[in-house]
Amino acid sequence: MPDAPATDRVGFVGLGRMGAPMVRRLAAGGVTVRGHDAASGVAEGLADVLAPVPRAAAAAEGSPVVILMLPDSGVVEKVVDGGLLDALAPGALLVDMSTSEPLRTRALAERVAGCGATLVDAPVSGGVAGAEAGTLTIMVGGPGDAVERLRPLLALMGRVRHVGGTGAGHAVKALNNLLSASHLLATSEAILAGERFGLNPTTMLDAINGSSGRSGSTETKWPTHIVPGTYASGFTAGLMVKDLRIALGLAEAVDAPRGHAARTLALWSRAIDTLGPGADHTEIARWLRERPEEDQ
Ligand code: NAD
């Protein structure tokens, strides 16, 4: 028997809405997982698919690959500096699959390299349903050899897109969500104008989906979550605002045009002031429908 590939043992930190189903995919693919989450009982609740460990550092010990699926860059840095960095094995791959900030990712990669390990950023798109089905789009930034080593492991969770060097995955993810948030706002304004003109939203969407205005918002979000009024995409408005802030911060840092991004963020921020950050992001359409024009 040949030796098992080194990516068959993984430490996994952050077992929330996304992390838990991703671990299930890894376990189903034959990967041995040591898992940690700060919330008590969460890792233990997944004991059928992982070995629960009490600290992030313990997830890294003896693991050639450590995956992070945490809320944001601040938490990622806290976990890395809270003992994980010292526990990384030489040559280990630290994979940040959270939606983090690309410039902070580059800075963190230098410190990880200083310890003889490699940071790869691999944020995802596709939501909880994609995590459960193993159909996430995984936007990967990092050195080619490290990405190739990770490819079979990542392929258990979705489609791998190697988009550039360190930080590139986090940049593409945030910029993708700038587009997604923009499309949803624009679609919602268009459909609401049509409604007030007396048109049927479903009839409009059917025509638009055969025309140049189509997008994920016209093809999926409006028909599946907004027209039936279920608002259950699984992705919160608060996370969308976080991603918009990352995209705008990136555009500012490289001095790119950003008037549209700034206005999009301002509208989404006003929406979560009313809806709350835990609202489903598709509720932006409901918010627009219920707000007086002058508040928008
Ligand atoms: P979540 O809040 O459900 O899960 C995060 C987990 O991290 C929680 O279980 C929490 O207890 C744990 N955690 C927080 N601080 C910790 C610490 N210091 N040490 C260990 N564990 C800690 O979030 P999620 O929806 O799973 O999202 C995770 C990441 O994926 C975010 O960056 C998010 O933007 C991104 N994302 C989410 C979705 C989605 O649909 N939910 C889609 C794509 C990307």
Side-chain angles (χ1 to χ4, degrees):
M1 282 274 285
D3 287 339
T7 52
D8 270 13
R9 278 173 294 123
V10 166
F12 204 110
V13 183
L15 303 166
R17 277 168 299 177
M18 295 294 287
M22 288 161 71
V23 164
R24 290 200 179 280
R25 296 292 312 178
L26 294 177
V31 177
T32 303
V33 180
R34 290 157 73 83
H36 169 72
D37 193 284
S40 77
V42 169
E44 290 72 14
L46 292 164
D48 55 326
V49 286
L50 56 73
V53 291
R55 291 170 295 111
E61 280 157 18
S63 298
V65 177
V66 181
I67 295 177
L68 309 178
M69 196 52 175
L70 294 163
D72 54 32
S73 282
V75 178
V76 166
E77 288 163 4
K78 188 175 147 206
V79 166
V80 169
D81 290 325
L84 185 103
L85 195 57
D86 300 330
L88 282 175
L93 300 175
L94 178 62
V95 189
D96 183 12
M97 300 191 75
S98 332
T99 303
S100 302
E101 298 169 44
L103 293 167
R104 289 171 81 167
T105 299
R106 282 193 181 163
L108 182 63
E110 286 182 19
R111 293 199 289 123
V112 171
C115 294
T118 302
L119 179 71
V120 171
D121 47 304
V124 304
S125 175
V128 174
E132 285 168 352
T135 56
L136 295 167
T137 294
I138 309 176
M139 294 159 255
V140 188
D145 55 340
V147 175
E148 288 316 309
R149 229 174 104 195
L150 286 169
R151 194 178 283 275
L153 181 77
L154 296 176
L156 295 172
M157 297 179 277
R159 295 173 291 260
V160 177
R161 298 283 182 271
H162 186 193
V163 292
T166 307
H170 282 150
V172 174
K173 166 68 188 175
L175 296 171
N176 173 74
N177 276 17
L178 166 61
L179 289 174
S180 171
S182 304
H183 294 164
L184 186 54
L185 260 184
T187 302
S188 300
E189 288 194 357
I191 301 288
L192 293 173
E195 265 185 5
R196 290 191 190 187
F197 187 64
L199 305 180
N200 178 296
T202 302
T203 308
M204 286 180 75
L205 288 164
D206 186 46
I208 291 167
N209 284 333
S211 307
S212 54
R214 69 182 176 278
S215 68
S217 291
T218 62
E219 290 177 337
T220 306
K221 293 181 188 184
W222 258 84
T224 310
H225 306 299
I226 299 170
V227 171
T230 44
Y231 305 107
S233 75
F235 186 70
T236 65
L239 283 181
M240 187 62 101
V241 167
K242 178 193 89 166
D243 295 355
L244 283 169
R245 286 205 179 100
I246 296 173
L248 184 59
L250 174 64
E252 276 166 5
V254 298
D255 199 19
R258 52 190 181 275
H260 169 82
R263 284 189 287 276
T264 303
L265 172 59
L267 268 174
W268 275 90
S269 301
R270 226 176 301 156
I272 63 166
D273 284 347
T274 307
L275 294 170
D280 195 86
H281 79 289
T282 57
E283 290 190 60
I284 188 102
R286 184 168 69 77
W287 177 77
L288 281 172
R289 186 183 269 130
E290 290 167 5
R291 299 288 288 180
E293 289 299 328
E294 59 272 20
D295 282 357
Q296 297 172 18

